[in-house]
Amino acid sequence: MNDPKPGFIGRAVERKEDYRFLAGVGQYTDDVTLPKQSYGYFLRSPHAHAKIKSIDTAAAAQAPGVLGIYTGRDVAGIGGLPCGWQIASLDGSPMKEPKHPVLAEDKVRYVGDHVALVVAESLAQAKAAAGLIDVDYDVLPAVVDTATADKAGTAVHDIAPDNVCYAWGIGDKAATDAAMAKAAHVTKLSFINNRLIPNAIEPRAANAMYSRADDSYTLYVANQNPHVERLLMTAFVLGLPEHKVRVIAPDVGGGFGSKIYLYAEETALVWASKRVGRPIKWTAERSESFLSDAHGRDHVTTAELALDKDGKFLALRVHTTANMGAYLSTFASCIPTILYATLLAGQYATLAIYCEVKAVFTNTAPVDAYRGAGRPEATYVIERIVETAAREVGIDPAELRLRNFIRSFPYATPVGLTYDTGDYEATLNRVKELGDVTGFAARKAASAMKGLLRGIGYSCYIEACGLAPSNIAGALGARAGLFEAGEVRVHPTGKVTVFTGSHSHGQGHETTFAQVVADKLGIGIDDIDIQHGDTGKVLFGMGTYGSRSIAVGGAAIVKALDKVIAKGKKIAAHLLEASDADIEFANGEFRVAGTDRKKAFAEVSLAAYVPHNYPLDKLEPGLNENAFYDPTNFTYPAGSYVCEVEVDPATGVVRLDRFAACDDFGNVINPMIVEGQVHGGLAQGIGQALLEGCVYDAEGQLLTGSFQDYALPRADDLPHFIVETAKGTPCTHNPLGVKGCGEAGAIGSPAAVINAVTDALWHLGIRDVPMPATPHNVWKTLQAAKR
């Protein structure tokens, strides 16, 4: 589409990037093959917890094609993988932060831990050689269970003998306890937010090359934030000059958070590439992904909600134990704290809130952000206990929510956030219409005629995204800024290249960012090229996660565009012999106000590069501007979901029959892309609610290590979604008025589904059903209720 007329924002423009994906000409990390390419393979621990007594690599080193074998002894002098967020316990002590070695040095601490890197001429040779390595382990007891890790009697790390990383809290404990004591009713609920394995369609991959010519490194990697990857690797682990390392994240096939982090594999490859003198490629097999990609969720929570006699919320008290896994991943520490507990107000004007979080180490894979990252866990706590309270006190669940919604903005919550805008009543009322709630009774009766139990469930979520104001994040423990950078390069002919620090791995940035630029400059969308994912091209960037791309990255681009237009006005003023204060810009034209004298955008851009009659003493040539944007607040998308299920009481099978969603994302750039993001998020959230669950046995062996044992949602597991984006309440503090949409579906949907399931079973005395609500879990719950 190259229609230059204004109004690209809000139009369902087809995605520009899809042609190369559909035609099979995209370039992913595994597609990159470099001259003299070699291959890496990681020998991984078969034990969850063991001392490494010895490693014998002699036979492996003599195997055909082997170029090098490296173990923890070889890398012992370099730093460990860093955690990017410092959390302090309630007593003021810093969190326990054990070294996260690139290759295991003295112990292995989870099944899949990295024991050795084998580099060979071919992948088959590297695998064969790894099979010849003899490791003598002294197996130790494994700590696996989240709820009892602090009482296990075995320490995952010596510096945390009780396995507690931190014991953190937020809110007013005294006020919360007092409100609980005087409440007319208190609802209490305990549940587990099940552990998930991300499973992006493209597995993690890396290809590292060292150049002797200039003592530099190039790393191709499937990653969501290449600049952060480079910064962490060079400054904290390998001690390399940052300008000597180029990180390129080409096309990336999904991430969902799992590709934000600095992992051991790519770090080891960069380190080894200089020793081998050859580029080294590694691509995870799916079984490796199950074992070693950072997992998500895994909370054990008890929540209490206090209500007065009229159903008004007085207080919420929450105690959560969060599993960190064996090591602290890049953002692990902030997920169950800053991104979880600060959202426990939800959409409600609850007077007092207090939350304590205990983070524990276990002999399992590290746990970090997964689509939503703390916000799904918070929404699940709030929306499950609100729905349960409504049933206990005999108030319709939608009505109870309406009685407690926040209606005045800005609103400062009891847990540290300030919501700038919202209209929660509007989205709830609309989703009731979309979901035909008035027809539920008839559908319930029809289900009963078939021997099935029908239930309805709501979920009203809010999320803080557009991460984040750097000063606030810094005060909360962040060890980096959370701004974004953008550069707009206008070529002499008026075509535009944009360089953004945001990274696209399925979000459609090449389209939505181009729409913003086309709308602002009044040029055709095909005249705009979006570049991202290369530290050698892009000024800087903090990457893509937390639904921040358009709200933060897009805002940085707008700031750069404003500079381009401001300089263009000066050039146009010279060409039109007018004062630059009299120049207006709209629809791709610079015009002298109140006249018909004008210059097209391309005429001004050409003059910028061909300054034949140009005041060079006042205005330098070129039309290229960059900008940084650091938001003053989070953005707060919110919405309401309603779900209906049918439960077969004989088998425990849950069929998702209807699902409606109404979201407020502020101003929307591309409604088609937004709807696609919501659909994907709903599928993932429903997957958690009904199908997905990561399970370790008591010895720390992963029982759900393949798609035979770990069920992802398929098309026939999902109904036709009714999705609507509300007219919305624009964000008040970014130039586009946008919020964020990428995680919403995954945040709101699990609670809606489980609320519907428990509604179907409530008359049997069942208050809760564990996630995932598989036929087996539901059947067991039904049998327990009968007993």
Side-chain angles (χ1 to χ4, degrees):
M1 179 185 289
N2 215 37
D3 179 1
K5 68 176 180 290
F8 271 108
I9 289 179
R11 291 164 67 176
V13 176
E14 291 185 0
R15 290 176 23 132
K16 296 177 64 177
E17 50 269 72
D18 281 351
Y19 170 78
R20 70 175 184 272
F21 300 139
L22 295 171
V25 294
Q27 186 179 61
Y28 298 88
T29 298
D30 191 56
D31 295 323
V32 177
T33 300
L34 301 170
K36 301 180 69 177
Q37 185 71 67
S38 67
Y39 296 84
Y41 182 80
F42 287 89
L43 179 68
R44 298 180 183 275
S45 170
H47 304 293
H49 197 195
K51 291 181 180 178
I52 300 174
K53 296 173 69 176
S54 64
I55 303 176
D56 185 352
T57 63
Q62 299 302 313
V66 171
L67 301 172
I69 299 176
Y70 306 100
T71 67
R73 180 176 297 177
D74 298 302
V75 298
I78 66 175
L81 304 179
C83 179
W85 210 292
Q86 172 65 255
I87 297 294
S89 289
L90 285 165
D91 63 4
S93 61
M95 67 186 185
K96 302 297 192 330
E97 198 169 357
K99 183 180 181 181
H100 186 173
V102 174
L103 296 172
E105 294 175 1
D106 56 345
K107 269 188 178 184
V108 289
R109 292 183 169 88
Y110 66 99
V111 174
D113 206 351
H114 314 77
V115 176
L117 166 62
V118 181
V119 183
E121 296 283 357
S122 72
L123 178 58
Q125 290 173 326
K127 280 186 178 183
L132 299 175
I133 298 175
D134 183 19
V135 185
D136 186 8
Y137 294 102
D138 180 9
V139 179
L140 303 171
V143 180
V144 178
D145 181 57
T146 304
T148 60
D150 61 334
K151 303 174 184 67
T154 297
V156 178
H157 297 280
D158 292 342
I159 68 168
D162 59 357
N163 294 316
V164 175
C165 177
Y166 56 76
W168 175 90
I170 191 172
D172 189 330
K173 185 178 188 301
T176 302
D177 291 346
M180 289 281 172
K182 70 177 184 181
H185 180 84
V186 176
T187 292
K188 185 174 182 179
L189 200 59
S190 297
F191 43 78
I192 294 172
N193 203 294
N194 45 320
R195 179 186 276 239
L196 303 175
I197 301 175
N199 280 304
I201 193 168
E202 178 209 20
R204 289 191 295 117
N207 195 343
M209 176 179 68
Y210 172 72
S211 171
R212 290 180 60 193
D214 58 356
D215 193 30
S216 69
Y217 300 80
T218 300
L219 171 66
Y220 293 87
V221 63
N223 184 269
Q224 298 175 217
N225 48 358
H227 281 91
V228 176
E229 170 102 354
R230 180 179 69 170
L231 175 62
L232 296 177
M233 183 184 296
T234 57
F236 295 96
V237 187
L238 298 182
L240 298 173
E242 189 175 3
H243 67 290
K244 289 292 187 179
V245 179
R246 180 182 182 185
V247 177
I248 302 171
D251 290 327
V252 174
F256 314 119
S258 68
K259 294 174 183 171
I260 299 173
Y261 323 118
L262 178 65
Y263 282 97
E265 289 90 353
E266 59 257 31
T267 308
L269 262 59
V270 169
W271 178 87
S273 66
K274 182 174 183 178
R275 277 106 189 129
V276 173
R278 301 267 295 274
I280 311 170
K281 182 194 288 191
W282 166 81
T283 301
E285 297 177 355
R286 186 59 65 178
S287 59
E288 287 184 284
S289 297
F290 273 96
L291 289 171
S292 63
D293 287 5
H295 293 176
R297 316 289 193 251
D298 204 346
H299 286 193
V300 177
T301 294
T302 296
E304 298 166 276
L305 179 65
L307 299 86
D308 70 12
K309 61 182 178 58
D310 298 316
K312 288 295 185 70
F313 300 162
L314 301 176
L316 176 68
R317 184 164 56 202
V318 178
H319 292 267
T320 292
T321 302
N323 195 341
M324 297 286 97
Y327 300 102
L328 288 175
S329 180
T330 306
F331 290 115
S333 56
C334 75
I335 306 305
T337 51
I338 307 306
L339 296 182
Y340 164 67
T342 58
L343 270 298
L344 286 172
Q347 299 185 5
Y348 310 110
T350 308
L351 298 177
I353 300 173
Y354 181 70
C355 176
E356 287 187 4
V357 177
K358 182 186 294 180
V360 296
F361 293 112
T362 63
N363 294 117
T364 63
V367 179
D368 209 314
Y370 175 67
R371 197 171 190 170
R375 283 73 55 86
E377 296 93 312
T379 296
Y380 193 77
V381 170
I382 303 161
E383 292 306 293
R384 283 292 295 117
I385 201 163
V386 167
E387 193 100 353
T388 303
R391 296 187 190 128
E392 288 181 351
V393 300
I395 300 175
D396 176 78
E399 170 59 27
L400 185 63
R401 289 174 167 87
L402 288 167
R403 291 186 191 184
N404 288 280
F405 277 156
I406 298 162
R407 288 183 166 82
S408 178
F409 296 90
Y411 177 82
T413 75
V415 279
L417 298 181
T418 298
Y419 303 163
D420 63 328
T421 185
D423 189 347
Y424 311 140
E425 185 173 357
T427 54
L428 178 55
N429 287 335
R430 180 56 180 155
V431 85
K432 290 172 67 178
E433 296 174 3
L434 295 172
D436 185 26
V437 171
T438 57
F440 171 71
R443 292 189 293 274
K444 184 178 179 72
S447 295
M449 293 291 290
K450 299 183 290 183
L452 302 175
L453 305 175
R454 180 176 285 263
I456 187 169
Y458 294 91
S459 178
C460 298
Y461 77 90
I462 189 168
E463 59 167 320
C465 60
L467 303 178
S470 291
N471 59 339
I472 295 176
L476 294 173
R479 289 165 165 164
L482 290 170
F483 54 83
E484 198 47 84
E487 179 182 355
V488 176
R489 185 178 300 171
V490 182
H491 303 287
T493 57
K495 313 304 181 187
V496 175
T497 300
V498 175
F499 299 88
T500 174
S502 299
H503 186 277
S504 181
H505 39 278
Q507 293 88 347
H509 293 171
E510 293 173 40
T511 303
T512 51
F513 286 175
Q515 286 181 254
V516 170
V517 176
D519 193 89
K520 189 84 171 173
L521 296 183
I523 63 177
I525 198 169
D526 291 335
D527 293 338
I528 301 159
D529 184 36
I530 307 295
Q531 294 285 320
H532 62 88
D534 186 344
T535 64
K537 294 181 179 179
V538 177
L539 178 66
F540 198 80
M542 299 306 296
T544 292
Y545 43 85
S547 300
R548 72 192 303 270
S549 293
I550 193 64
V552 188
I557 292 170
V558 169
K559 286 188 67 176
L561 288 168
D562 288 340
K563 293 181 181 180
V564 166
I565 292 169
K567 184 173 181 180
K569 286 182 177 180
K570 294 180 180 180
I571 298 170
H574 172 72
L575 297 175
L576 294 168
E577 299 180 336
S579 167
D580 55 312
D582 294 329
I583 302 296
E584 300 174 338
F585 180 72
N587 303 332
E589 294 177 338
F590 294 90
R591 183 186 297 268
V592 179
T595 75
D596 61 356
R597 296 165 56 212
K598 61 185 180 181
K599 290 290 182 181
F601 180 76
E603 293 179 278
V604 170
S605 66
L606 183 62
Y609 290 93
V610 188
H612 290 165
N613 185 21
Y614 199 93
L616 291 172
D617 58 327
K618 298 178 181 178
L619 203 58
E620 65 183 23
L623 198 53
N624 182 69
E625 299 288 349
N626 61 64
F628 287 79
Y629 176 73
D630 198 331
T632 57
N633 194 359
F634 298 100
T635 68
Y636 298 99
S640 295
Y641 296 165
V642 62
C643 169
E644 288 185 32
V645 300
E646 283 185 329
V647 180
D648 185 339
T651 64
V653 170
V654 177
R655 185 179 74 86
L656 190 61
D657 185 53
R658 301 167 68 89
F659 201 106
C662 183
D663 300 284
D664 176 0
F665 297 132
N667 293 335
V668 171
I669 306 299
N670 187 314
M672 178 188 69
I673 288 177
V674 166
E675 184 173 349
Q677 288 287 320
V678 173
H679 276 235
L682 291 177
Q684 282 185 275
I686 291 165
Q688 174 175 13
L690 294 180
L691 297 162
E692 299 183 48
C694 172
V695 179
Y696 286 90
D697 71 9
E699 284 72 46
Q701 294 295 326
L702 181 63
L703 301 182
T704 51
S706 75
F707 290 130
Q708 287 184 313
D709 309 295
Y710 188 93
L712 293 180
R714 296 179 293 187
D716 60 356
D717 294 311
L718 306 171
H720 171 71
F721 296 134
I722 302 172
V723 173
E724 183 175 291
T725 302
K727 185 178 180 182
T729 54
C731 175
T732 61
H733 55 78
N734 69 55
L736 291 167
V738 295
K739 296 184 179 180
C741 69
E743 297 165 295
I747 290 170
S749 56
V753 173
I754 299 301
N755 282 340
V757 174
T758 52
D759 180 57
L761 306 179
W762 187 263
H763 67 287
L764 301 174
I766 294 172
R767 299 174 76 249
D768 190 38
V769 174
M771 290 196 294
T774 60
H776 181 62
N777 281 341
V778 174
W779 184 85
K780 284 197 305 181
T781 304
L782 286 163
Q783 300 315 302
K786 288 179 181 179
R787 290 193 295 271

